[in-house]
Amino acid sequence: MVFSTPYFLFLYLCVVLLVYYITPLKLRNLALLILNLIFYGWGEPVYILIMFASIGIDYTHGMLVTRCKNKGNIRGAKMAVASSVIFNLALLFFFKYWDFIAGNVNALAGFELMKVLGHPLPIGISFYTFQTMSYTIDVYRGDARTQKNIITFGTFVTLFPQLIAGPIIKYKDLDEQLESRTHTVDKFASGVQRFTVGLAKKVLLANAIGQLWDVYKATPTAQLTTLGAWLGVLAFSFQLYFDFSGYSDMAIGLGRMLGFEFLENFNYPYLSKSATEFWRRWHISLGSWFREYLYFPLGGSRVKPARMVFNLLVVWAATGIWHGASWNFLLWGMFYFVLLVVEKLFLLRRLEKLPGWLGHIYGLFLVLIGWTIFAVEDLGQLGGYLKAMFGFGAGLLDGAFLYNFFNYLPILVIAGVASTPLAANLWKKLPEKVWKVALPVVMLAGLVLATAYLVDGTYNPFLYFRF
Amino acid sequence: MSKKYSTFITVLFCVFIFGFCGWLLWDMAHPRDFSEQENRWLAQMPEPKIGRLEFPGLMNGTNGGNFFSGEFMEDFEDFVVDQFPLRDQWIHLKAQSERLLGKKENNKVYFSGDGQTLFAFFNPPAADDLQKRVGYVNSLAGNVEVPVYFSLVPDKSYVWADKLPANAPNVDDGSMNEAAKQLAGENVNFIDLYGALSGDDVFYRTDHHWTTMGAYQGYAALADGMNGSVTVLDYGPTKVSDSFYGTTWSSAGAGWVRPDEMYTWVPEGTLNVTGYPEGKPVEGTLYDLSKLEVKDKYSMFLGGNQPLCILRNPAVEGGKKLLVVRDSYTDSLAPFLGLDYGEVHLWDLRYNNMSLKQYVADNGIDQVLVLYSASNFSSDANLFKLGI
C-alpha cells in the first residue's frame, strides 16, 4: 500500500489509529506488528513470507552474535554477522539484481545461461534489508542491544511508516523507542502537520510536475530542443525531490502520531553548492548508512590517497546500483564518484572562495546532469538527451517548449520556492495570533486539495518504489 | 504550542479523516452503479476467494482465488476509489484548482482562453501508420467497381485553432489531412473538408463531435464533391436541448463549463430509417429525442452506433445508392445526405465482419464514401476490413 491513496488515508490510517490507541500500552507493539504486516502484504500477499523470514533470521542472528560474544567466541560472532549480511544481500540480490545480471550474462553468452525469473520487486526491499543488516552489525560492534523479544524486533523490521521508502532507520536509533515511547497530543499534532506537508508535497507538487517530465521523457531524442531538455530534467528534479522528501515527511509525521521520532532524511538539497554538500543534504539516511557500514570499515579517509579513492569507488558503485538494477544507475554513481574525488582532492577548497550564487549554479548544474543520467535509463537515449541539453538537439526551442514553459510556470515557481527554507522561515516569523488562525486553514486546504487530486488521479506512481 | 491548541489540531485532523471514513463506509455499503459524469459503470465490492498458495516457481506461485495474487486488493481499491463520497465534486475541484494555477489543460484536455471550449488532445498517427491506413482505403477502391470517395473530418483543434492555448502541441495542424491526400490512390476521390468548416457553432464546446450545423457544412462539401450539387434547406435547425455535456467535458472534469445546445434539422418523416442494431431490421428515426434524457445525448442522431442503418428517401424513388463507411460523426450528417439519394447505407466496420465488396455488389451501391474523423481514422483498429 502507498500513503498517497484514498484507501490509505481514509481506511487504513483510521483503522491503525483506532486499533493502536485502543490497545493497552503493553500490547501496542504486537498490534503495530499485525497492522504493519497487513500494510506490507496488501499489494503482494505472498511477500509477507519474506517479512517472516527477515524477522526470524535477523532475530536469530542477533541472539547468536550475543551468545558467541558472551562466550568470548569472537570468531563465531563474526561468522554470525557474516551469515546475516550474506542472507540480506542474497535476498536483495535475488529479487533486485538477478534478472539484470541474467539479462547481461545471456546477452554476452548468446544463449540462456541464467534463467530470467521475472519476479515483481518486493516493495521496499532495498530499504528494509539495509535496516536489518545494520542490526546484527551494531549488535556485534556493541552499538546496539540485543532484542530478545521477537515481537518487538518484528515491529522494528516491519514498521509501516518507513518500511517501503525510508528513511532507513538503524535499530540503535529506535531501540529505546521500541521499548517505551511517549504518546502526547503535542507529538501527535506535530505529526499531523508534518504528514500533511508531506502529502501535499507528494500529491500537489510531485505528481503535477511529473506530468511535465512525462512529456519530455516521451519526446524522441531527435526532436528534443536544448531548452526543452533542460526544462524536462528540471521537472524531473522537482518531481523526485518532492516525491521522495514528501514520502519521508509523511513517514516522520506518521511516526510521531504513533509516538516515534525518526531522523530527518532531507535538508534542502537543491541549495547545495557542491556535490559533496548535496550528499550531506539528500537522502541523509542512505549516505550515513553507507558511511557507517561500508566506507568506514574499508578505512574511510584515514588511509593513503590511492586507497581512499578506491574506497570511494566502492561506496559510489554501491550507492549507484542500490538505486536500481540498470547500467545508468551505476553510471550515475560513477558520476558522483568522480565529482567527490575531485572535490575532495582540491576543488572544494577553491569552490569555497567563490561567491555564493556561483556556488549555487555549480551545485545545481551538477545535480541536474546527475538526474539526467538517473532518469533516462536507456544509455542510447541518455546520450541523445545529454546531446540535446548541450546544444546538439533540434534547435534551441520550439512551440511545444513555449507552451509547456508557460503552462507549468506557476507550479515551477512554487516548487522552486518550496525547495528553499523561505516559506518555513516566513512562517516562523508570523505573530502567534496569525499562525494560530492560519495553521488549521492551511492544513485543511492541503488535506482537501490533496484528497481532490487523489480521487482524480489514477496518475499516482511513487517513484522511489523501484529502488 | 499549547496543549489545548495541539488538541484542536489533532481533533481537526481526526474529524477530517474519520468523517470521510464513515461517509466512505456508508457509500460502500450503498454503492452507486453508474457514474453519469464519467459515463461508465463503477467498480463494485469484489468477492474474496482465498484459493491455495502454491510455489511452482520460487515465490510467484498462487493458485485459484484472488487473494494471494493480490487481485482482490486491487479490485477493492478500485471499488473504494469509485465509490468515494463526492467523487464528481472532488474531480471538479481538482480541475478548478489546476485552472486557478494557470494550467491550460487538465486530464489531456485543453481549455480555451475563456475556459468555455474544451479540446481533447489530438495525436496524429506516425507516417508509416498513416500510410498503412490510407492503404486500406486504396485497396477498397481497387476491390469495388463503383467510385470511392474518401474524406476526413477535421479535428476541432484545426477549425478552432484560434481558441487554443498558444503553441499547444497536441493538436490537428492539418498535416495529417495533407499527407492522407497525397497517399490516396488514383482511383480514390479525396474530398478535402479541412477548408469546409467555419463558424462558432460547427462543433460542440464540450464534445469532440461536429454539431448539426457543422455536419451540414460538411455535407455541402461532400455533396459538391460527389454530385456537383448541394441541396439548400429553406428552413432552419430546431433547438431540442440546451443541456448537453459531451465526453470532452467528462474527461476534463471542467465543472465551470456551460452545457451545449443540440439541434435537429431535417424534418422527421422526410426519410424512412431502417436500423439493424441486432441484425434484424428495426424501424428507426432520424433524431431519437428519447436519448436526450440520458448522458450520451449525441446518440440522439439515428439512435447511436449500430452495424448497419439504411435511409430511404421516398421523394427520390429509384435514385442513386450511397454507402458510407461510418464513424459516429456520420450520424448527424446522414439526414442531409439522405435528401440527395434514393438510399444511403451506413456501414460500421467495427461491428461488421462481412465483405464490404460483396455488400456493395449485392445491393447495387453506386458510390462509396469512406468518412472518418481525423482522430478516429488515426486510432480505429478495424480499417483493415475495408480491404476484405
Side-chain angles (χ1 to χ4, degrees):
Chain A
M1 209 183 307
V2 297
F3 297 161
S4 57
T5 56
Y7 38 90
F8 174 83
L9 201 53
F10 298 105
L11 290 177
Y12 180 78
L13 184 56
C14 294
V15 171
V16 166
L17 293 178
L18 217 59
V19 170
Y20 185 78
Y21 280 100
I22 286 176
T23 307
L25 219 49
K26 275 193 174 171
L27 293 175
R28 281 193 184 165
N29 280 346
L30 177 63
L32 205 45
L33 175 61
I34 294 165
L35 292 164
N36 290 339
L37 288 170
I38 294 172
F39 178 86
Y40 193 74
W42 184 259
E44 296 274 358
V46 178
Y47 285 165
I48 289 193
L49 296 175
I50 303 179
M51 277 292 144
F52 286 135
S54 252
I55 296 171
I57 289 178
D58 289 299
Y59 172 79
T60 340
H61 278 87
M63 298 290 267
L64 214 60
V65 171
T66 320
R67 255 182 63 190
C68 289
K69 272 181 76 178
N70 287 348
K71 285 184 184 163
N73 180 0
I74 296 304
R75 204 182 127 85
K78 276 189 178 166
M79 296 278 283
V81 171
S83 147
S84 148
V85 169
I86 288 169
F87 165 74
N88 280 299
L89 288 180
L91 201 62
L92 192 56
F93 174 83
F94 178 73
F95 283 106
K96 190 164 169 179
Y97 300 107
W98 180 283
D99 283 2
F100 171 64
I101 292 172
N104 282 294
V105 165
N106 294 344
L108 265 178
F111 61 95
E112 198 185 50
L113 198 63
M114 274 167 86
K115 195 170 165 354
V116 175
L117 300 170
H119 294 308
L121 188 67
I123 53 172
I125 192 164
S126 315
F127 291 91
Y128 62 73
T129 47
F130 269 41
Q131 294 189 169
T132 50
M133 229 189 299
S134 75
Y135 166 69
T136 12
I137 299 174
D138 281 342
V139 167
Y140 170 76
R141 288 178 179 173
D143 291 342
R145 284 183 327 127
T146 326
Q147 181 50 261
K148 297 200 176 92
N149 184 335
I150 194 160
I151 289 170
T152 312
F153 186 71
T155 309
F156 161 71
V157 174
T158 58
L159 201 56
F160 86 88
Q162 41 79 273
L163 179 62
I164 54 178
I168 299 170
I169 290 175
K170 291 167 223 145
Y171 178 78
K172 58 185 171 192
D173 293 331
L174 219 58
D175 181 27
E176 280 175 30
Q177 300 183 42
L178 283 163
E179 295 296 336
S180 76
R181 51 189 176 273
T182 49
H183 304 90
T184 66
V185 71
D186 280 345
K187 215 187 220 177
F188 195 98
S190 91
V192 161
Q193 291 167 51
R194 193 63 186 269
F195 177 79
T196 309
V197 167
L199 185 68
K201 273 175 156 180
K202 160 69 186 149
V203 178
L204 303 181
L205 289 177
N207 286 0
I209 301 181
Q211 290 178 343
L212 178 55
W213 164 240
D214 287 348
V215 170
Y216 282 102
K217 192 170 67 175
T219 307
T221 43
Q223 293 168 26
L224 267 180
T225 60
T226 300
L227 289 180
W230 281 99
L231 183 65
V233 74
L234 182 71
F236 177 76
S237 308
F238 280 136
Q239 181 191 15
L240 192 64
Y241 170 60
F242 290 114
D243 191 276
F244 194 15
S245 76
Y247 200 97
S248 288
D249 287 337
M250 286 190 273
I252 292 169
L254 289 167
R256 282 190 198 149
M257 291 186 214
L258 302 172
F260 289 99
E261 200 62 65
F262 301 149
L263 293 173
E264 292 294 331
N265 210 15
F266 288 89
N267 182 20
Y268 303 109
Y270 293 159
L271 293 183
S272 304
K273 292 181 199 163
S274 65
T276 311
E277 189 183 352
F278 176 72
W279 278 101
R280 282 201 298 265
R281 290 169 173 272
W282 175 273
H283 202 177
I284 298 165
S285 63
L286 181 72
S288 92
W289 197 97
F290 272 117
R291 247 196 325 278
E292 206 167 320
Y293 300 106
L294 188 57
Y295 187 59
F296 290 161
L298 285 170
S301 316
R302 296 179 183 171
V303 284
K304 289 190 186 130
R307 171 72 196 202
M308 185 193 78
V309 171
F310 172 78
N311 292 348
L312 284 169
L313 177 70
V314 172
V315 168
W316 287 98
T319 305
I321 207 74
W322 181 88
H323 281 83
S326 166
W327 289 113
N328 70 307
F329 292 114
L330 191 63
L331 192 66
W332 177 73
M334 289 302 97
F335 170 78
Y336 276 106
F337 159 68
V338 171
L339 286 174
L340 290 168
V341 167
V342 171
E343 286 186 0
K344 244 189 167 69
L345 291 180
F346 67 94
L347 195 60
L348 212 51
R349 271 166 290 161
R350 304 200 181 168
L351 282 171
E352 277 159 11
K353 289 176 195 144
L354 288 180
W357 61 272
L358 215 56
H360 284 304
I361 289 180
Y362 166 81
L364 212 52
F365 174 76
L366 293 181
V367 167
L368 288 179
I369 301 295
W371 287 144
T372 312
I373 304 171
F374 189 94
V376 188
E377 281 188 37
D378 180 272
L379 291 185
Q381 265 185 333
L382 174 61
Y385 202 98
L386 285 168
K387 262 193 195 161
M389 286 171 80
F390 289 99
F392 301 98
L396 184 65
L397 56 88
D398 55 6
F401 166 79
L402 290 174
Y403 173 78
N404 289 322
F405 180 73
F406 287 111
N407 195 31
Y408 283 91
L409 187 58
I411 192 144
L412 286 169
V413 171
I414 294 174
V417 172
S419 306
T420 70
L422 208 67
N425 289 344
L426 274 176
W427 182 262
K428 278 180 208 144
K429 284 197 184 123
L430 289 177
E432 186 171 335
K433 264 189 188 160
V434 178
W435 71 249
K436 275 202 160 171
V437 178
L439 180 62
V441 174
V442 172
M443 196 179 93
L444 266 189
L447 286 171
V448 165
L449 278 180
T451 307
Y453 277 69
L454 285 182
V455 174
D456 180 84
T458 41
Y459 182 81
N460 198 28
F462 245 127
L463 292 182
Y464 251 79
F465 268 1
R466 297 177 308 129
F467 307 132
Chain B
M1 212 178 279
S2 69
K3 193 166 175 188
K4 222 167 113 189
Y5 191 76
S6 291
T7 312
F8 165 62
I9 293 293
T10 300
V11 167
L12 196 64
F13 178 77
C14 289
V15 165
F16 183 79
I17 63 166
F18 282 98
F20 273 106
C21 175
W23 194 346
L24 173 61
L25 290 175
W26 171 266
D27 280 358
M28 284 163 67
H30 306 85
R32 282 201 298 165
D33 290 333
F34 188 78
S35 163
E36 280 271 303
Q37 176 169 317
E38 293 169 72
N39 199 25
R40 66 176 179 87
W41 297 96
L42 297 174
Q44 301 297 311
M45 178 70 189
E47 199 182 314
K49 291 184 219 80
I50 296 294
R52 291 186 311 277
L53 183 56
E54 289 176 359
F55 300 98
L58 231 141
M59 283 303 284
N60 54 353
T62 53
N63 203 327
N66 55 7
F67 185 76
F68 291 112
S69 62
E71 276 168 71
F72 172 77
M73 288 74 152
E74 268 177 44
D75 294 346
F76 181 77
E77 289 169 9
D78 290 341
F79 172 56
V80 171
V81 176
D82 272 6
Q83 301 298 338
F84 201 80
L86 305 175
R87 180 174 167 81
D88 296 351
Q89 285 80 354
W90 288 119
I91 290 167
H92 284 171
L93 177 63
K94 187 257 184 176
Q96 189 66 264
S97 80
E98 288 281 287
R99 190 158 168 252
L100 285 175
L101 213 70
K103 289 278 274 292
K104 299 167 189 90
E105 63 181 69
N106 185 42
N107 296 353
K108 305 198 166 175
V109 171
Y110 291 121
F111 310 139
S112 65
D114 65 355
Q116 289 294 332
T117 305
L118 306 172
F119 300 86
F121 280 19
F122 177 84
N123 297 306
D128 54 338
D129 188 27
L130 183 64
Q131 187 169 13
K132 211 168 66 190
R133 288 167 182 275
V134 180
Y136 297 134
V137 182
N138 293 342
S139 49
L140 170 69
N143 264 347
V144 297
E145 305 292 328
V146 298
V148 169
Y149 300 87
F150 171 40
S151 198
L152 294 174
V153 181
D155 189 70
K156 198 200 299 187
S157 60
Y158 177 82
V159 180
W160 285 353
D162 56 329
K163 295 188 184 187
L164 281 167
N167 297 307
N170 301 298
V171 299
D172 183 0
D173 62 1
S175 57
M176 173 185 167
N177 186 56
E178 286 305 315
K181 191 193 288 184
Q182 298 305 321
L183 290 166
E186 279 178 6
N187 43 4
V188 172
N189 306 290
F190 188 88
I191 303 174
D192 195 339
L193 289 185
Y194 269 56
L197 298 178
S198 65
D200 278 345
D201 58 357
V202 291
F203 284 99
Y204 298 106
R205 288 174 297 100
T206 68
D207 197 69
H208 54 290
H209 288 111
W210 54 10
T211 59
T212 310
M213 286 69 88
Y216 181 78
Q217 292 185 4
Y219 152 75
L222 291 166
D224 186 43
M226 293 192 291
N227 305 321
S229 69
V230 179
T231 302
V232 179
L233 300 168
D234 50 9
Y235 43 88
T238 313
K239 180 155 78 171
V240 289
S241 171
D242 54 9
S243 54
F244 174 42
Y245 283 116
T247 53
T248 320
W249 178 85
S250 292
S251 23
W256 62 83
V257 176
R258 290 193 314 276
D260 270 305
E261 296 174 344
M262 295 186 87
Y263 292 83
T264 60
W265 204 334
V266 176
E268 210 63 64
T270 317
L271 305 171
N272 299 323
V273 182
T274 314
Y276 293 82
E278 317 262 321
K280 287 192 193 101
V282 176
E283 195 183 328
T285 53
L286 289 179
Y287 307 105
D288 180 353
L289 299 182
S290 71
K291 299 283 186 189
L292 294 175
E293 305 306 317
V294 300
K295 163 75 171 67
D296 181 17
K297 293 187 170 48
Y298 185 82
S299 61
M300 165 185 88
F301 297 102
L302 295 174
N305 293 327
Q306 46 187 328
L308 176 68
C309 180
I310 301 171
L311 311 184
R312 291 190 177 83
N313 189 345
V316 207
E317 204 70 58
K320 285 202 291 184
K321 292 180 180 179
L322 170 71
L323 181 138
V324 185
V325 181
R326 72 173 284 277
D327 66 10
S328 52
Y329 285 64
T330 295
D331 288 343
S332 49
L333 166 81
F336 305 118
L337 287 172
L339 298 173
D340 294 349
Y341 288 88
E343 288 178 16
V344 177
H345 296 238
L346 308 179
W347 180 270
D348 196 319
L349 287 178
R350 283 172 294 179
Y351 314 120
N352 267 308
N353 291 322
M354 282 186 282
S355 158
L356 184 53
K357 175 188 173 184
Q358 196 64 44
Y359 186 88
V360 168
D362 290 353
N363 290 276
I365 301 291
D366 299 296
Q367 291 174 318
V368 174
L369 167 64
V370 178
L371 178 67
Y372 274 86
S373 74
S375 105
N376 283 338
F377 193 74
S378 310
S379 57
D380 195 291
N382 296 283
L383 291 173
F384 73 93
K385 293 182 193 165
L386 285 170
I388 310 175

